[in-house]
Amino acid sequence: MTNHSPQNDFLQRLQTKAETNRQEIENMMLTVFGDLNKTLRQQSSDVLNSTEYVIREQLDILNQSVEQITSQNLQQIHALKMSLKWAWLNPLLIAMSCLVGIFTVNWGLMQYMASTMQQQYRQKQMLAQEINLQSRALDQLQAKTWGVTYSESHLGRFLILPSNVSAETGWLLSDGKQAIKITLNP
């Protein structure tokens, strides 16, 4: 038999009520948790989307900066290549100018020395001709004077006769001048 007492009824009602309350609380909790889950999913999705958007914007800015820096570096590399391409020209021009200067100075010096040497050679030839002419004149003079020379010292002036010539004094010329007769000794 079943025991139906007011206490048992109350307990049973209390248990049913507790079960109903528990189910309502569970249903309400499921609803709240479901709403919270939807809200959290939506907020997470929104935050994720906004974070993704900010990251994309920052990446775009970073990419633009990298592209700009790369472009500048390429321009600098191109300018450096161009300057290096013609950098050898300036030292070459300086070296060539120095060489042309050295060769010009040397050529001028050689021309000056050659003309000086030619002038000295011509002068030497003229002096040699003059010496030959004077030597011939001296030979002719000695032939005409028979080797008689003139000398002057502190004792007076003298005519020096060669060893094969003899002299005689006391001769007078037709105009009355004194003369010395010179004869060659055999």
Side-chain angles (χ1 to χ4, degrees):
M1 294 213 221
T2 45
N3 236 351
H4 285 296
S5 70
Q7 244 180 343
N8 278 341
D9 276 339
F10 180 70
L11 270 173
Q12 202 168 15
R13 271 189 294 154
L14 195 58
Q15 278 181 343
T16 308
K17 180 79 170 153
E19 184 65 29
T20 308
N21 282 343
R22 186 183 62 77
Q23 282 179 356
E24 283 179 10
I25 289 173
E26 277 182 11
N27 286 338
M28 193 172 24
M29 287 294 280
L30 282 175
T31 306
V32 169
F33 281 141
D35 290 344
L36 185 61
N37 184 19
K38 284 180 188 176
T39 305
L40 281 176
R41 282 185 189 267
Q42 182 62 40
Q43 287 177 351
S44 295
S45 177
D46 290 345
V47 167
L48 185 61
N49 286 339
S50 67
T51 304
E52 181 181 354
Y53 177 75
V54 169
I55 288 173
R56 284 184 195 269
E57 282 184 346
Q58 292 299 318
L59 283 175
D60 287 343
I61 292 171
L62 186 61
N63 282 337
Q64 288 174 356
S65 296
V66 167
E67 287 175 2
Q68 184 180 10
I69 290 171
T70 303
S71 174
Q72 288 174 349
N73 286 342
L74 288 175
Q75 289 173 353
Q76 289 174 350
I77 288 171
H78 180 65
L80 183 61
K81 282 182 181 178
M82 291 305 290
S83 67
L84 287 176
K85 184 177 182 180
W86 297 105
W88 59 271
L89 186 61
N90 200 16
L92 178 67
L93 288 176
I94 291 170
M96 291 301 290
S97 298
C98 289
L99 284 175
V100 166
I102 289 170
F103 286 139
T104 303
V105 168
N106 283 337
W107 178 80
L109 184 61
M110 286 173 48
Q111 291 297 320
Y112 171 74
M113 291 176 69
S115 68
T116 303
M117 288 172 57
Q118 285 176 348
Q119 287 176 351
Q120 288 178 352
Y121 181 72
R122 285 186 203 122
Q123 191 175 14
K124 179 185 170 195
Q125 285 180 333
M126 288 174 38
L127 287 174
Q129 287 176 351
E130 186 68 29
I131 289 172
N132 284 339
L133 186 65
Q134 293 293 329
S135 180
R136 277 188 249 134
L138 183 61
D139 287 344
Q140 288 175 356
L141 188 60
Q142 280 185 348
K144 286 184 179 180
T145 60
W146 296 327
V148 176
T149 57
Y150 173 80
S151 178
E152 192 172 328
S153 72
H154 68 285
L155 297 174
R157 297 179 184 168
F158 300 93
L159 290 176
I160 302 169
L161 302 174
S163 59
N164 61 347
V165 175
S166 60
E168 294 177 31
T169 60
W171 291 85
L172 287 175
L173 295 175
S174 60
D175 60 355
K177 292 185 181 178
Q178 290 186 352
I180 300 173
K181 184 180 178 182
I182 299 175
T183 54
L184 289 173
N185 296 332

